[in-house]
Structure formats: C-alpha cells, structure tokens
Amino acid sequence: MSDKQILLGRILGPHGLKGEVKIKSFTADPLAVASYGAVLASDGRRFKLERVRLAGDIVIAAIKGIADRNVAETLKGVELSVPREDLPETDDGEFYQADLVGLAVFDQAGDKVGEVAGFQHFGAGDLIEIARDGGGTSFVPFAESMVPDVDLEEGRITLSETGMAVIAADDDAAKRKAPR
C-alpha cells in the first residue's frame, strides 16, 4: 500500500447559506473531484461530496454532514485528496503528476539536471518543480514544448532546449541576486 496522496482540489470557501462549498478542481474533468468516493482533507478528516455541479470552472458541492455556512467557511483552503491506489490505472502514455515526483530530470544531451520535486499551480498552467543537482529549485512550464519526454519505465523525464533555457534564466537571475 502506498501512502502517496493525489491532490484533487482545494476548497475556496462557502457557497450560499446551506453549507455548500466552492472547490478549485485539479482534475482533467472538474466534476471528477467527487467521483472517487470519500476525499481526504489535508487535516485528516474524510468528506463525502454530494450534489456536485459546475459554476463556470468552479465546482460547487455539498459536504455530507455540513449544512451551515459558518462551518463551510472554516474549510476555506482545505486541500482534498485521495490515496493513489484509489485512482484508476492510466492508459499507455498517460500518468498522474504524482507518479513523476522523484523521477530524474535530464537535458537532451543526457546530462542529469535534477529531479522532480512536485508540481505547482499558480493559475497560468502547471509548473514542474525541479530540485536542481547542486542546490536550488527551478520551475518549468509542464508543456510538451518544455517537457517532450516522460518515461515512467526508465524513471526519467527530458527537458527540451526551451525547458533548459528556463533553467538557464533561473541561473542568470540567481547570479544577479548573489551578493558581490
């Protein structure tokens, strides 16, 4: 059994007066945030999402046992996840981002750059967080133009020249900030 948790979404705050919440879903289909059964809150509580619907790109859901806006307000910022083993297996060529954490990162010449530390979602798309060999962290947009090869069997990903340019820009910025 793995203890790896897959982040499905984050509660943004209450919706209405009857305890419903607004959820920022990180799943490909936003409504899938409620399709894996009970979700685990970041503080260890388990929630069952009910009456799930979309309002734009935000999921609105009731949480079983919560019928009060004041209680829903206390959930703002709570992250919702499920154990990795509760998710369906992926098809060939597909993966969950959490499956990439810990993989080695290489440039196209085959030189190791670091390893995947995680993924961040700051609003403009997914960023792959790379813990750099020799120290430091870089964030590279997680797009095919930047990360053209993900090889789970070999346990590695490869950055394109453009992805490496992002890392080089990080290095240049760090040099400019370093005390002289």
Side-chain angles (χ1 to χ4, degrees):
M1 292 269 297
S2 167
D3 61 355
K4 187 181 284 190
Q5 297 293 311
I6 305 298
L7 180 63
L8 299 179
R10 181 176 296 112
I11 297 177
L12 300 175
H15 176 80
L17 300 174
K18 297 183 180 178
E20 291 184 314
V21 294
K22 297 182 283 187
I23 300 170
K24 172 63 177 167
S25 176
F26 301 133
T27 57
D29 170 8
L31 293 175
V33 72
S35 66
Y36 303 107
V39 293
L40 300 173
S42 49
D43 61 8
R45 291 180 285 175
R46 295 178 73 80
F47 296 126
K48 175 71 174 137
L49 301 178
E50 302 176 324
R51 298 188 314 275
V52 181
R53 64 191 183 281
L54 275 178
D57 61 348
I58 300 298
V59 174
I60 306 297
I63 297 176
K64 186 175 182 172
I66 296 178
D68 176 78
R69 180 182 176 87
N70 292 331
V71 175
E73 179 70 42
T74 67
L75 300 175
K76 184 176 181 177
V78 170
E79 293 182 335
L80 306 172
S81 62
V82 294
R84 169 62 179 92
E85 60 267 6
D86 287 357
L87 296 177
E89 289 304 313
T90 58
D91 294 328
D92 285 340
E94 293 183 343
F95 48 82
Y96 294 107
Q97 289 178 347
D99 294 338
L100 304 184
V101 174
L103 293 186
V105 178
F106 292 86
D107 64 16
Q108 291 186 316
D111 295 324
K112 189 169 184 262
V113 176
E115 75 174 38
V116 178
F119 288 84
Q120 301 299 324
H121 315 275
F122 297 121
D126 294 336
L127 297 173
I128 188 168
E129 182 179 356
I130 301 169
R132 304 278 304 281
D133 285 354
T137 301
S138 290
F139 294 96
V140 175
F142 191 56
E144 190 170 346
S145 62
M146 304 277 180
V147 185
D149 186 42
V150 175
D151 189 337
L152 286 175
E153 286 183 23
E154 293 292 322
R156 63 186 286 150
I157 69 166
T158 303
L159 297 180
S160 67
E161 288 182 29
T162 309
M164 288 304 299
V166 171
I167 289 177
D170 284 350
D171 291 344
D172 291 344
K175 286 177 188 172
R176 285 192 303 274
K177 290 181 182 178
R180 296 178 187 200

